[in-house]
Every structure is written in C-alpha cells, then in structure tokens.
C-alpha cells in the first residue's frame, strides 16, 4: 500500500497487484492466471472531481486501443503491463538487477532483455519467478505512483487492467469500462499481431467470459467493427459518463 500525494491536502492509497508477465507471448499455456495492475482504494479523500476508470476486456478485444483513445482525450493512462516492460529497458537499474539475479544469459545480443530466455527460467521455477517479481514489482509500483501523483486533482485516471474481473477489482473504480469484440474478430486480430491461433484460443479460454465482464461493467464498448465506430463510442462515453462525473 502506498500513499499518493495527489495535490495539497489530498491523497489516495494505491496498491500494485502481482505481475505475472501476462502479456508475454512466450508464457506457456498452462501458466497460472496472472495480473498486473494498480488499484486505488476509495479513501474518501479524493477530489470529488477525479474520475477513476477501470478499463478491461479480453485479450484482443481492443482494450489498449481504447486506452489510447482515452489518452487522446486527456485521460492519464496507467498501464502496468507497459510499465513492467519499461522498467527493464536497456540502461535501467531494473535490467541491471535482473542480470545480477539471473546472469548474462537473459540478455539478447542487442543488450535488451531476452524475454523468452528469462521466461524459460521463471516459468520453470517458482522461486526464480518470486525473485523476478521482487525486482520488478517495486519498480512498477514506484513508477505507477509517480504517474498517479503527477495527475491533476481533476484528472481522469484510466487503469488498464487486463484481468480486472478475474481479480475482483471492479469496486475500486468510479466507472468500469469493458471492451468487447466477437471471438472470431479477436482471434483474427491476435493472429495478425503474431500469435498462433491455438495460443490465442488458450489465452481467451483462460480469461473471464464476456458475461462475467458485462456483469461488472458500467459501460460496454463493442469493438467488433471499425476503428471509426469505436471512436464514436469512446466519444459518447466521454461526453455522457466522464464529463458529468468531473463536474
Ligand atoms: P487488447 O489490448 O485488448 O489485447 P488491442 O487494443 O491491442 O487489444 O487490439 C488488438 C489488435 O487489434 C491490435 O493490433 C489493434 O491495433 C487491432 N485493433 C483494435 N481495434 C481494432 C478495430 N476496431 N479495427 C481493426 N483493428 C483493431
């Protein structure tokens, strides 16, 4: 739990949940359910005008795309998966700590982290995984807290939480925004992104169902169509739900 100084006299409490490298395409299919997220506990000390949105959706539904559209409208997006990658980029203390713990074998020829090599170690050995989490989680927490603390008191904070439903976090947000797309559309997009169809199916099957996500949603966006249609829905969400919540 970490205190967040949001502005003079106001603060929130944040917790970074566990990271399981869930976005890694090299995670084996039988890897346990995983999540990485930052939750904000309702403390009653927020500015009345800050809006906290939990954004979720199954893999390939377009969640990251929606996060980008919300950011373009001024939201502060906290994407813990992305932060987890940033904190081990070349030249970071995070990468140095990972090399110290796991050796040069986890470095690719270009000096970046060799994710498949590291995944091979940590997915085979829970202790190694705990060691890796022990390095990465505090760095993610620190960065996420920095980002939230830098947000204005009337900011729209969007937490991009892949497994929001699976990890029971719906209650942490003012609004839960769910992105959906038809199964065949999701599969096609994931294959286009370089995943095998079998892997994509296995990942989808390991996540919550559309019904489970809908059950906690305040708003559902349908992203089975074009990007233009998605943008229209994001515009409507912003005008009808976000702006009124800020004023
Ligand atoms: P998620 O974060 O839910 O896994 P992404 O936002 O990364 O999904 O979207 C998956 C892929 O589909 C990305 O390559 C993205 O560019 C593409 N995509 C998302 N929405 C659309 C859309 N409406 N039309 C076409 N491609 C889309």
């Amino acid at each position: 739990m970490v205190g967040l100084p949001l502005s003079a006299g106001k603060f929130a409490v944040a917790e970074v949940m566990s990271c399981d490298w869930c976005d890694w395409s090299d995670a084996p299919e039988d890897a346990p359910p995983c999540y990485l997220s930052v939750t904000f506990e309702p403390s009653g000390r927020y500015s009345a005008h800050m809006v906290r949105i939990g954004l979720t959706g199954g893999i390939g539904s377009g969640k990251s795309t929606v996060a980008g559209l919300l950011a373009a409208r001024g939201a502060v997006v906290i994407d813990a998966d992305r932060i987890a990658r940033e904190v081990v980029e070349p030249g970071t203390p995070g990468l140095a700590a990972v090399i110290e713990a796991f050796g040069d074998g986890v470095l690719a020829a270009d000096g970046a982290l060799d994710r498949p090599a590291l995944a091979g170690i940590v997915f085979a050995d829970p202790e190694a995984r705990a060691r890796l989490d022990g390095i990465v989680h505090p760095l993610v927490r620190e960065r996420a807290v920095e980002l939230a603390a830098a947000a204005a008191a009337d900011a729209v904070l969007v937490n991009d939480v892949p497994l929001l439903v699976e990890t029971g976090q719906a209650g942490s947000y003012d609004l839960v925004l769910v992105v959906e797309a038809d199964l065949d559309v999701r599969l096609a997009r994931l294959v286009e992104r370089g995943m095998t169809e079998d892997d994509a199916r296995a990942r989808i099957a390991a996540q919550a169902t559309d019904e489970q996500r809908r059950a906690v949603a305040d708003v559902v966006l349908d992203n089975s169509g074009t990007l233009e249609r998605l943008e229209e829905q994001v515009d409507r969400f912003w005008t009808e739900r976000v702006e009124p919540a800020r004023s």
Side-chain angles (χ1 to χ4, degrees), residues 57-66 189-190 193 223 225-227 230:
I59 184 167
S61 60
K63 189 173 47 62
S64 311
T65 307
V66 169
R189 287 181 187 155
L190 290 171
R193 205 163 76 176
N223 186 30
T226 61
L227 280 174
L230 181 66

Side-chain angles (χ1 to χ4, degrees), residues 18-63:
S18 117
C19 155
D20 199 358
W21 312 88
C22 53
D23 242 13
W24 288 27
S25 55
D26 37 27
E29 277 173 25
D30 58 354
C34 57
Y35 59 98
L36 173 66
S37 64
V38 182
T39 59
F40 294 87
E41 290 219 331
S43 67
R45 279 171 286 195
Y46 287 103
S47 153
H49 305 297
M50 178 175 272
V51 186
R52 292 157 296 144
I53 299 170
L55 168 65
T56 194
I59 184 167
S61 60
K63 189 173 47 62

Side-chain angles (χ1 to χ4, degrees), residues 165 170 175-178 180 212-220:
V165 173
L175 288 171
V176 173
L177 179 60
V178 168
E180 271 187 18
Q212 289 167 322
R213 275 187 287 264
R214 246 174 256 158
V216 301
D218 291 295
V219 175
V220 177

Side-chain angles (χ1 to χ4, degrees), residues 6 13 15 18 22 43 45 69 82 86 120 131 139 159 170-171 175 196 227-228 237 247:
L6 293 176
V13 176
E15 182 179 15
S18 117
C22 53
S43 67
R45 279 171 286 195
L69 294 171
R82 189 161 86 197
E86 286 172 3
R131 233 180 317 143
L139 295 169
N159 278 265
L175 288 171
T196 67
L227 280 174
E228 289 69 29
F237 169 70
S247 52

Side-chain angles (χ1 to χ4, degrees), residues 58-138:
I59 184 167
S61 60
K63 189 173 47 62
S64 311
T65 307
V66 169
L69 294 171
L70 292 170
R73 284 155 182 78
V76 175
V77 176
I78 298 184
D79 177 344
D81 284 343
R82 189 161 86 197
I83 298 173
R85 290 188 287 271
E86 286 172 3
V87 298
V88 290
E89 275 174 359
T92 57
L95 183 57
V98 170
I99 295 165
E100 196 181 326
F102 297 98
D104 285 349
V106 298
L107 266 189
D110 63 356
L113 188 60
D114 183 341
R115 289 170 184 277
L118 183 58
I121 297 171
V122 299
F123 282 118
D125 175 1
E127 252 178 49
R129 173 118 144 249
R131 233 180 317 143
L132 180 61
D133 288 349
I135 295 168
V136 175
H137 289 176

